[in-house]
Amino acid sequence: QSVLTQSPSASGTPGQRVTISCSGGRSNIGSHTVNWYQQLPGTAPKLLIYSDNQRPSGVPDRFSGSKSGTSASLAISGLQSEDEADYYCAAWDDSLNGLVFGGGTKLAVL
Amino acid sequence: EVQLVQSGAEVKKPGESLKISCKTSGYNFATYWVGWVRQMPGKGLEWVGIIYPGDSDTRYSPSFRGQVTISADNSISTAYLQWSSLKASDTAIYYCARRVVLARTAYFFDFWGQGTLVTVSS
């Protein structure tokens, strides 16, 4: 049972916009910024969004992040087949004094 | 160019010890935290712990405290994760990653190693 809650799966067709949500609490998302990681099949995770809504250099602007209270979202617009991956949210947790991840959302591009 | 290169896959028996490594380059090793993340087969990411090589300050997830040891060698810019007595349930891919601290409430892992598969089986 992950501290941060994500839907296990999501799907969309090419060109669509999909949103992945991440729910937490006051000790994690409510107190710290949220980061999103993309894990393509068989590869290491890659930083996709940091500090709630910032994109590292090289990440397309199709990817965007937002946060409100104790929940965060990752939006992917103009969905492409190469976006098929697992997506994880993460935030520091003051109660655990450690990093917590969401359980991950497997995105399928139909 | 920042790089984290991990040691190769390991196959061990229960009860054996193991130390895997994460060799870094392209940045000042002593001034960034390095963390470890576990991914069990077919499962999600779990934070194991983190070390600040500059002063060896180390933090562990409650789930892993006492089960593993994290260390670092500044002279060769390398972080380590070790077990004294492996269990079958330690079978997983272990990733190292560099942590950036932007503010007291803003941290993230920006560069990741390729992962080390640890298989523990009798």
Side-chain angles (χ1 to χ4, degrees), chain A residues 3 6 12 23 31 34 36 41-42 44 76 78-79 86 91 97 99 104 106:
Chain A
V3 175
Q6 297 180 239
S23 177
S31 300
V34 176
W36 290 90
I76 309 172
L79 199 61
D86 293 324
N97 196 22
L99 181 68
K106 180 176 288 294

Side-chain angles (χ1 to χ4, degrees), chain A residues 11-59:
Chain A
S11 64
T13 56
Q16 262 190 334
R17 182 178 189 272
V18 297
T19 302
I20 295 171
S21 63
C22 174
S23 177
R26 283 194 296 179
S27 63
N28 42 69
I29 294 178
S31 300
H32 296 274
T33 61
V34 176
N35 309 308
W36 290 90
Y37 299 93
Q38 177 193 57
Q39 188 176 33
L40 296 170
T43 69
K46 169 192 165 187
L47 179 65
L48 200 62
I49 297 287
Y50 68 93
S51 296
D52 299 336
N53 54 22
Q54 302 298 303
R55 281 187 310 277
S57 171
V59 173

Side-chain angles (χ1 to χ4, degrees), chain B residues 84-97:
Chain B
S84 59
S85 181
L86 286 160
K87 309 181 193 66
S89 57
D90 293 318
T91 295
I93 297 173
Y94 293 85
Y95 295 101
C96 64

